[in-house]
Amino acid sequence: MDTAAVSGVARMVQDMSTDVAAGGETAEVTRAPASLSPSRASDFMNCPLLYRFRVIDRLPERPSPAATRGTVVHSVLERLFDLPAGERTLVRAHGLLGPEWERLLEAEPELAGLFADDAGRDEWLESARQLLEAYFALEDPTRLEPAERELFVECDLESGLRLRGYVDRLDVAHTGAVRVVDYKTGRAPREGFEAKAMFQMRFYALVLWRLRGEVPRLLQLLYLGSGEVLRYEPDEADLLATERKLVAIWAAIQRATERGDWRPSPSRLCDWCDHQALCPAFGGTPPDLPPLPLPEVPQARAADERPSPHTPADEV
């Protein structure tokens, strides 16, 4: 990459840039701070090339029945807490499933192609009902009054990096202690992989700490696919380490951007990747990088801030 190209990338990642006004005068143009979500940070850690395909090339990906089911189950659980406490029953949750699927289908008609016939769709809906049953085996929603649901959070670090994402649920005890809850429709990680699974939750805990000045008391992942709960109590040292890790990830993303060096990192997750035909690890050739400066390279789209409720990593 020549010197001019590198300079173009360097200008792109600055918060402020100069632009030429209509009359030929130089004007200050404010740019959004560089931002990172837990999903995109995980993408880069798992495979820099996948990050490039999703953030820079913005390649389309096929919807999957598992991820779509996770989205619908999340919607049902969110709406369940709109009901009075005494009405938050499994019967009512099952009753919300069909309308939430229809709501999603209306917004994304292409999802109708997930099923070959009505029998396939009905079997899929039944599997979603089973996930809701697993949720009720883990929690009694009649005894809960979440402080926040589907909460968008963001904060700016001293480095200038903006962290942002959506938290499924915040519970606040009468003592003020905060519990961060996330629903997963996959299976709990095997022994030894718990820390990797908690990365997303530490990310949220860091943002909430920076926003509220208090470390959340408990991080809790509900794995509906296996009916298990993963809990962790963070402390300031954990969250400072998470912050250093995120700053390092961002520095690595900037270096990859400047060098145009997006290497694949083959793993078992490749089995679920839509982009094998373009991946050098499978004999493919990635598309040419767009001209510099790249279009808002590290600026995640709003939809990208939401981690998938069911990811292949849940099964690995």
Side-chain angles (χ1 to χ4, degrees):
M1 186 178 291
D2 61 25
T3 302
V6 172
S7 298
V9 175
R11 286 195 301 272
M12 177 195 66
V13 298
Q14 293 175 343
D15 291 348
M16 298 292 296
S17 68
T18 57
D19 199 7
V20 178
E25 299 178 355
T26 299
E28 288 289 328
V29 177
T30 301
R31 295 198 177 198
S35 66
L36 193 62
S37 69
S39 297
R40 299 295 77 87
S42 294
D43 283 346
F44 188 82
M45 288 190 294
N46 288 326
C47 178
L49 184 59
L50 177 62
Y51 178 96
R52 179 204 144 166
F53 284 159
R54 285 178 166 168
V55 177
I56 298 176
D57 300 293
R58 302 197 174 192
L59 299 179
E61 295 181 338
R62 296 167 297 176
S64 73
T68 303
R69 180 180 59 194
T71 299
V72 173
V73 169
H74 267 64
S75 296
V76 170
L77 294 177
E78 182 184 3
R79 292 192 180 276
L80 186 68
F81 284 101
D82 289 335
L83 300 173
E87 298 181 22
R88 298 171 195 160
T89 65
L90 180 57
V91 172
R92 290 298 300 271
H94 282 171
L96 291 169
L97 189 58
E100 287 307 305
W101 162 238
E102 293 297 333
R103 188 193 304 269
L104 181 61
L105 188 59
E106 182 177 355
E108 303 179 40
E110 66 275 13
L111 294 178
L114 287 173
F115 313 109
D117 50 34
D118 289 348
R121 180 204 58 207
D122 292 344
E123 182 179 353
W124 175 83
L125 285 170
E126 177 57 32
S127 68
R129 292 187 186 94
Q130 292 172 7
L131 291 175
L132 291 173
E133 291 171 7
Y135 167 75
F136 275 82
L138 296 175
E139 284 192 327
D140 179 359
T142 67
R143 299 171 61 87
L144 298 170
E145 288 298 341
E148 302 284 355
R149 289 172 283 139
E150 285 293 304
L151 175 66
F152 177 73
V153 294
E154 65 177 3
C155 75
D156 294 331
L157 303 181
E158 290 184 2
S159 65
L161 176 62
R162 174 167 293 177
L163 305 180
R164 58 199 312 179
Y166 283 87
V167 177
D168 281 350
R169 199 179 86 207
L170 279 188
D171 298 334
V172 180
H174 68 278
T175 60
V178 173
R179 176 172 63 182
V180 185
V181 180
D182 194 78
Y183 310 118
K184 292 292 185 184
T185 51
R187 302 181 63 83
R190 298 196 308 270
E191 185 176 356
F193 289 83
E194 296 92 342
K196 185 175 181 180
M198 271 293 169
F199 170 76
Q200 169 195 336
M201 302 300 281
R202 287 191 176 95
F203 183 109
Y204 295 145
L206 171 61
V207 175
L208 290 166
W209 178 37
R210 292 304 186 201
L211 290 174
R212 301 182 177 211
E214 184 174 351
V215 174
R217 178 70 56 82
L218 184 66
L219 310 179
Q220 182 168 291
L221 281 166
L222 302 180
Y223 283 94
L224 309 186
S226 55
E228 298 174 75
V229 181
L230 186 61
R231 298 182 178 92
Y232 184 77
E233 296 183 12
D235 56 28
E236 289 191 8
D238 286 331
L239 301 189
L240 288 172
T242 299
E243 182 171 338
R244 291 192 296 270
K245 182 174 185 175
L246 290 168
V247 170
I249 290 170
W250 183 246
I253 290 173
Q254 288 181 306
R255 287 194 298 271
T257 302
E258 292 170 1
R259 300 168 183 171
D261 183 10
W262 303 97
R263 300 182 184 184
S265 181
S267 72
R268 288 180 59 187
L269 296 176
C270 295
D271 293 342
W272 289 274
C273 183
D274 278 348
H275 310 303
Q276 288 188 11
L278 299 173
C279 179
F282 293 88
T285 301
D288 292 336
L289 281 165
L292 294 171
L294 299 174
E296 302 290 343
V297 168
Q299 304 298 331
R301 296 166 291 176
D304 292 338
E305 311 301 345
R306 298 176 182 269
S308 171
H310 180 107
T311 64
D314 295 341
E315 312 294 351
V316 174

